[in-house]
Amino acid sequence: MAGNTLGGSTSPYLRQHADNPVHWREWTPEALAEAASRDVPILLSIGYAACHWCHVMAHESFDDAEVAAVLNDGFVCIKVDREERPDLDAVYMNATVALTGQGGWPMTCFLTPSGRPFFCGTYYPKLGFLQLLDAVSETWRDRRDEVERASDQIATELRSMSAGLPGGGEPVGTELCDHAVAAVLQDEDETYGGFGGAPKFPPSALLEGLLRHHERTGSVPALTAVQRTCSAMARGGIYDQLGGGFARYSVDPHWVVPHFEKMLYDNALLLRVYAHLARRTGDPLARRVTRQTAAFIVSDLGAGGMFTSSLDADADGHEGLTYVWTPAELRSVLGDDGAWAASLFGVTESGTFEHGASVLQLRRDPEDEARFESVRAALLAARALRPQPARDDKVVTAWNGLAITALAEASVALDQPELLSAAMECARRLLGLHVVDGRLRRSGLGGRVGESAAILEDHAALATALLTLYQLTGFGLSEAVGLLDIALEHFADPDQPGRWFDTADDAEKLMVRPADPIDGATPSGASLITEALQAAGYLTGSQRYVDAAQETLSSATPILARAARSGGHWLTVAEAQVRGPIQVAVAGDPSSELLTAARRLAPGGALVIGGAVNSSELLRGRDRVDGSDAAYVCRGTVCDLPVTTVGDLTVSLGGEPRDG
């Protein structure tokens, strides 16, 4: 084979490299066989479309004829999109961390033709990369025994790392949840919000878990931590004050300067948190961020009824070019309002970013909302004339599942039915495109589904999304159950109840089978599947799902006990579990005031269903009472007497009665 073969890929990241002089291949058996037949090592380069340093290495090295000649002569070069193949990314990221103590993208690994790594790193500048290529080629040619020993050692380490957590843990209870929350709060930055130091990533799963803990216990410190972090992020540069939506992380501890890429998964997870916070507290800032972030997802990331993956960190080769401002630029666009806007948004002559420019922050609440909206609209219009970041149009199943759930929950918090419509449209299109021959695929592009099999997080996030829609619309239960049955058959460890693999038992066999239960930037597949099983167990009456959820939660007790900050979504699911989970079944008119109130008042993780008697599992044998709509509140298998007024429902759900 000769030449670059990435032009037909369903990954925009791979297509970015289709014009490189490097003879890139996709990860296929044929590519590995080519390395074996040529007796050369594999250069594996893993990244993603919105990655700033991936672009830098591409421009410095992969677009360079000198580097390309060395690569083409001595290596088989394989490009992988980490978002399209998270299984490969997980395996080789573990290898990189094992060898170097840290990881990141672009990831640069050297493999034997069988796929075993023997040297790994991340970004290399051109000169250092050329020196590394020479050293690897010399070692491969003259000291092959060293390569074999290194690859054997790394393979042994990876197998050890993939062993996962010990099974058979104790059932999750209130003491463990209380302990986990206390451990998390010890790490809170009480000045600027968030947990730990820079760089600061939005702790979306932890915030949701803390909100649910507050609802169960009334913990003021838990709620305060959520409000402090949500307010700091919403007012900081990590939040797009003009267009809505959050950047991936802040490079400083104050949330001022972001790494400007905007990911669907971050915004979906944060939308759920802000919608939850807005619904529980009525906070105006949380409501505005919920509204704007939902609009950003639908308008800026929407395509063909589904949602695309990300917006790039760069525009026209410069990071943040689209988003930053100087005082002079504000005056040029706004005239007399320029000074007011500069004060409001923290734009100074010295700047907070590069070259005297500033990232917009919201220093205070605007005293004139109409003036603020006028300024915001004018700056948005001016910003639209600047170079814009590229969009990764790949549709990832798991991230769309997260977005469906968040949009559906935001529709309740804001009383915006159009958000529920967008979630429904996405779910229908995703099921129509990404389910092929009864099995789910990971991603697609431009209406064409990719070849990569879905992993555990795809099944779990989409199942939860469908169960969320089912509670609001009646659609999605059978499809969710189908996904969960496939997950139980193909991803659950048959030898260790409660343990899950991230890849299916009939997927491509890699060096090791990934099985990572730790929550990261997105929740782990195992914690996500627990949420879906937990909900499905009560919505269908299936004890099989209930037992599987409880077994999986029990396996996660070491995370909550010893590394709670790495178990945000485990805490989220555990808090729902120790409360029952709560189920609210409203018998009567689907548009009744009682059902509307139940959805507004129910704590996070509660299941709420409305309709006629026997129309669903939770309404089996449950009818209106004396001609009035009636709400049945249960915690696990223990149920209260039915109530017929919003005030009584509020009391039954553990809150204070209030009007409406």
Side-chain angles (χ1 to χ4, degrees):
M1 295 176 66
N4 186 315
T5 65
L6 301 185
S9 171
T10 54
S11 161
Y13 172 64
L14 267 57
R15 290 188 175 195
Q16 288 175 356
H17 293 270
D19 294 327
N20 292 163
V22 177
H23 294 171
W24 290 116
R25 308 274 180 265
E26 295 192 55
W27 179 278
T28 62
E30 292 76 16
L32 273 65
E34 181 186 350
S37 66
R38 289 177 53 194
D39 190 30
V40 295
I42 293 167
L43 167 72
L44 175 65
S45 177
I46 301 180
Y48 59 103
C51 167
H52 170 70
W53 287 103
C54 298
H55 298 325
V56 173
M57 190 166 178
H59 296 321
E60 289 180 346
S61 295
F62 301 142
D63 279 332
D64 184 85
E66 180 185 7
V67 175
V70 174
L71 286 170
N72 296 336
D73 181 61
F75 302 84
V76 167
C77 302
I78 297 178
K79 262 285 175 192
V80 167
D81 182 340
R82 64 173 288 258
E83 298 170 352
E84 190 174 53
R85 291 297 305 266
D87 52 340
L88 289 168
D89 181 65
V91 170
Y92 293 106
M93 181 60 75
N94 282 340
T96 302
V97 172
L99 280 169
T100 69
Q102 60 185 11
W105 300 276
M107 195 192 320
T108 306
C109 297
F110 295 91
L111 320 178
T112 68
S114 64
R116 295 190 306 168
F118 59 90
F119 188 88
C120 299
T122 52
Y123 161 78
Y124 293 96
K126 177 185 172 181
L127 180 58
F129 191 45
L130 282 170
Q131 292 170 340
L132 176 61
L133 295 177
D134 286 343
V136 170
S137 294
E138 187 271 334
T139 303
W140 179 264
R141 182 180 63 249
D142 300 333
R143 302 196 302 278
R144 188 74 61 91
D145 58 327
E146 294 182 14
V147 171
E148 296 297 336
R149 283 198 301 272
S151 64
D152 286 344
Q153 291 171 356
I154 296 168
T156 300
E157 177 70 15
L158 292 181
R159 283 191 291 270
S160 174
M161 293 170 69
S162 69
L165 297 170
E170 294 297 318
V172 168
T174 57
E175 288 186 6
L176 180 61
C177 291
D178 295 347
H179 163 81
V181 168
V184 167
L185 293 180
Q186 284 183 342
D187 288 340
E188 190 207 357
D189 181 341
E190 296 184 0
T191 303
Y192 300 108
F195 304 92
K200 273 188 176 173
F201 289 79
S204 48
L206 277 178
L207 295 174
E208 180 65 23
L210 290 172
L211 273 173
R212 294 191 183 190
H213 179 78
H214 164 72
E215 288 176 321
R216 176 175 66 84
T217 67
S219 167
V220 172
L223 179 61
T224 299
V226 174
Q227 292 174 316
R228 181 161 35 228
T229 298
C230 284
S231 177
M233 290 192 301
R235 295 183 183 281
I238 193 173
Y239 183 67
D240 184 348
Q241 303 296 339
L242 301 182
F246 290 85
R248 184 163 166 253
Y249 64 86
S250 169
V251 302
D252 61 273
H254 316 133
W255 307 105
V256 174
V257 179
H259 188 46
F260 289 90
E261 57 193 348
K262 296 166 81 173
M263 316 299 292
L264 173 60
Y265 61 76
D266 281 324
N267 284 283
L269 291 166
L270 286 166
L271 175 59
R272 191 182 197 188
V273 171
Y274 279 90
H276 189 172
L277 181 62
R279 183 168 60 88
R280 301 310 298 172
T281 67
D283 177 64
L285 180 61
R287 288 185 63 85
R288 179 167 66 82
V289 170
T290 301
R291 184 178 67 254
Q292 292 176 348
T293 302
F296 164 74
I297 290 174
V298 173
S299 62
D300 289 38
L301 296 180
M306 297 176 287
F307 303 110
T308 58
S309 294
S310 62
L311 296 181
D312 208 323
D314 298 1
D316 200 23
H318 300 280
E319 185 176 8
L321 179 65
T322 307
Y323 302 104
V324 297
W325 298 83
T326 64
E329 288 171 333
L330 293 180
R331 291 192 298 270
S332 175
V333 173
L334 300 173
D336 292 340
D337 279 337
W340 181 78
S343 173
L344 184 69
F345 289 127
V347 177
T348 65
E349 294 294 341
S350 59
T352 57
F353 189 54
E354 299 170 350
H355 311 299
S358 294
V359 183
L360 299 189
Q361 306 170 68
L362 191 64
R363 291 288 186 85
R364 62 181 189 277
D365 290 326
E367 62 277 9
D368 186 335
E369 191 66 28
R371 187 182 189 187
F372 174 68
E373 287 301 324
S374 173
V375 162
R376 179 170 164 263
L379 292 177
L380 261 179
R383 195 174 83 176
L385 302 177
R386 295 175 170 182
Q388 298 297 305
R391 188 174 75 173
D392 182 340
D393 285 338
K394 180 173 71 274
V395 172
V396 175
T397 299
W399 304 351
N400 274 253
L402 297 175
I404 291 166
T405 299
L407 288 169
E409 294 187 2
S411 76
V412 173
L414 300 176
D415 191 22
Q416 288 186 211
E418 67 272 17
L419 298 180
L420 179 59
S421 297
M424 278 287 295
E425 174 74 3
C426 179
R428 292 186 184 279
R429 288 185 178 271
L430 205 61
L431 290 168
L433 180 64
H434 284 207
V435 178
V436 180
D437 297 329
R439 294 294 292 274
L440 192 61
R441 298 278 179 87
R442 169 68 176 176
S443 63
L445 179 69
R448 180 164 68 97
V449 69
E451 296 294 326
S452 298
I455 62 171
L456 180 61
E457 71 168 4
D458 297 303
H459 291 78
L462 183 54
T464 294
L466 293 168
L467 293 171
T468 303
L469 292 178
Y470 170 68
Q471 295 174 67
L472 293 170
T473 69
F475 167 80
L477 182 62
S478 62
E479 292 85 354
V481 165
L483 291 170
L484 292 176
D485 288 344
I486 288 173
L488 284 165
E489 179 181 357
H490 292 288
F491 293 87
D493 187 341
D495 300 320
Q496 187 173 309
R499 183 178 187 236
W500 294 80
F501 293 102
D502 291 319
T503 55
D505 56 5
D506 55 357
E508 178 186 355
K509 300 299 185 288
L510 303 177
M511 285 181 59
V512 293
R513 191 175 174 193
D516 187 358
I518 300 296
D519 293 329
T522 55
S524 68
S527 65
L528 283 170
I529 201 71
T530 307
E531 179 180 24
L533 288 165
Q534 188 183 71
Y538 290 94
L539 292 173
T540 66
S542 170
Q543 191 62 37
R544 179 193 185 205
Y545 298 151
V546 172
D547 291 344
Q550 291 176 346
E551 287 175 345
T552 308
L553 259 179
S554 293
S555 75
T557 55
I559 299 175
L560 292 174
R562 300 197 293 267
R565 275 182 58 188
S566 298
H569 199 68
W570 288 114
L571 176 63
T572 295
V573 181
E575 285 289 348
Q577 179 68 29
V578 299
R579 294 194 76 169
I582 292 177
Q583 310 130 62
V584 185
V586 179
D589 188 337
S591 61
S592 72
E593 177 189 22
L594 198 61
L595 179 57
T596 299
R599 288 171 174 156
R600 186 181 74 246
L601 296 170
L607 307 171
V608 182
I609 284 286
V613 60
N614 298 326
S615 61
S616 67
E617 180 64 29
L618 291 184
L619 283 163
R620 192 175 301 279
R622 292 169 173 169
D623 204 348
R624 304 175 80 201
V625 174
D626 297 330
S628 298
D629 293 343
Y632 297 77
V633 177
C634 301
R635 290 164 180 82
T637 57
V638 179
C639 300
D640 297 344
L641 292 173
V643 296
T644 58
T645 69
V646 172
D648 287 342
L649 175 61
T650 305
V651 173
S652 186
L653 288 172
E656 295 295 326
R658 63 187 184 195
D659 293 340

